[in-house]
Amino acid sequence: MEYQLIIIGGGASGLAAALTAASYGMERVAVLERQPRVGKKILATGNGRCNLSHMPIAPEDFSGSVPVADILAEFGDASLFFESLGLCCRTDAQGRVYPYSMTAGAVLDALRSACERCGVEEHCNTCVTSLTPCGSRWRVGTEQGEFLADAVIFAAGGYAAPQLGTDGSAWELLRKLSIPLAAPKPILCPIRSDADCLRPLKGLRARAEVTLYDRNHAVSTTQGEVQFTETALSGICLFDLSGLVDVSRCGDFRIALNLCPERSEGEITAMLYAFQAVRFGADCEAMLSGIVQKPLARRILKECGIRAATPCDQLDGKKIAAISQKLHCLQFPVTGLADWKQAQATAGGVMGSALDAHLQVKVHPNLYITGEAADVHSICGGYHLHWSWASGVWAAKHIAERSLCP
């Protein structure tokens, strides 16, 4: 079977690329998807609501080796893109963009309907087993047979959420072509820490200012709800920091929680003195329960060398100051990142040095890399999906324009 364009991967980037190429007049466009249906991961994003973009969005929001400024500028507002497909969007107070119906299925329906109208072929349950240059064209081998294409877009995603079909196995096709890849790393995931420290805190949720330290350097600070599991610190604020951890030297990193970010250390110290007087005769754990949950109170007291059952009136100024300091800087060592099943995205992918301005592989003409397979990553909030739409549209538009105007 011969095609003008074959897209490997029927996820966000692949579907955006397919409908763009077909809408520009390419007549033989096919999406090869190894799952029983396209867009399975789209349906799971945003807890089933599909946080499809963010407003505003800028190149500075992204990390990695692939330049994104021109691609983002060309794509523009994701809401307008989807409105052109018949999907209305809404933006919440934090800038997260969702379909107006707040259902991910509406996003996938809009994409699939647009592809169908444009004549895009879907080949599901089709696993690509080989990718071979054939003169200026590409031979794509599958378990069902071979496809021949004038151009190929590799949009098979990364390693994150293998239960949804993206386990990174498709990257082996790129390795066999000797295409430089930045090592994959799970991101937007929980950060692992010492289980002995976390086990007593399992199940707790606490609002905090969270700072990631690399040795004595504060790398970045976020704020939000921290969720304590038996082995990791979780929550969106931790997910946003996960991409900054160098997993090859986890021992250099630590997480510090400010459990009272709205108040200065001096204000907390004064509050502790006031609580000491009000709760005269109560133990230290009970005194701190007016500020933090009891398991956290016990952890703080332990780090200060104070027994939880110690009567609070026995605390001197030095110990009050120590408790205040821990409330502002409760530290946890970083021991690693969660596994791929718990990750929402992949850091790594085809390096920018291997791609031209159109996301075409320099040493392999007519092969393009989009979405999560490119070395681009960001934080939570719709940024990764925005990059997937934008990069798919960008590459497909270039292929179509070149195909129609040789």
Side-chain angles (χ1 to χ4, degrees), residues 47-70:
N47 292 320
R49 297 179 300 169
C50 193
N51 178 193
L52 57 86
S53 183
H54 196 279
M55 288 293 289
I57 203 160
E60 295 74 28
D61 296 321
F62 296 86
S63 301
S65 61
V66 177
V68 302
D70 289 346

Side-chain angles (χ1 to χ4, degrees), residues 7 51 94 98 101 135 163 171 184 201 207 269 314 318 332 370 389:
I7 297 161
N51 178 193
Q94 288 73 45
Y98 294 93
S101 65
Q163 65 274 25
W171 285 25
L201 305 176
R207 298 287 301 178
T269 299
Q314 293 184 12
K318 185 176 180 180
F332 295 83
T370 67
W389 318 127

Side-chain angles (χ1 to χ4, degrees), residues 6 46 142 157 164 201 227 300 328 335 399:
I6 283 180
T142 74
L164 299 177
L201 305 176
Q227 301 170 21
I300 289 167
H328 273 78
T335 61
I399 294 168

Side-chain angles (χ1 to χ4, degrees), residues 346-382:
T346 303
V350 176
M351 299 175 66
S353 59
L355 303 174
D356 68 12
H358 302 289
L359 301 178
Q360 180 176 215
V361 179
K362 291 177 181 177
V363 298
H364 290 297
N366 300 318
L367 174 62
Y368 296 74
I369 311 295
T370 67
E372 205 170 355
D375 183 24
V376 175
H377 62 275
S378 187
I379 58 175
C380 294

Side-chain angles (χ1 to χ4, degrees), residues 75-128:
F75 182 66
D77 187 341
S79 296
L80 297 179
F81 172 76
F82 279 100
E83 284 177 12
S84 73
L85 306 181
L87 180 77
C88 186
C89 298
R90 65 170 79 195
T91 304
D92 69 13
Q94 288 73 45
R96 296 183 290 251
V97 181
Y98 294 93
Y100 204 83
S101 65
M102 300 297 282
T103 57
V107 177
L108 182 56
D109 287 346
L111 291 165
R112 291 194 68 203
S113 294
C115 286
E116 185 177 354
R117 288 194 300 271
C118 292
V120 173
E121 295 182 23
E122 287 183 10
H123 294 264
C124 295
N125 291 310
T126 303
C127 182
V128 176

Side-chain angles (χ1 to χ4, degrees), residues 24 54 73 76 117 129 157 161 168 288 386:
Y24 268 78
H54 196 279
R117 288 194 300 271
T129 56
L288 287 183
H386 187 99

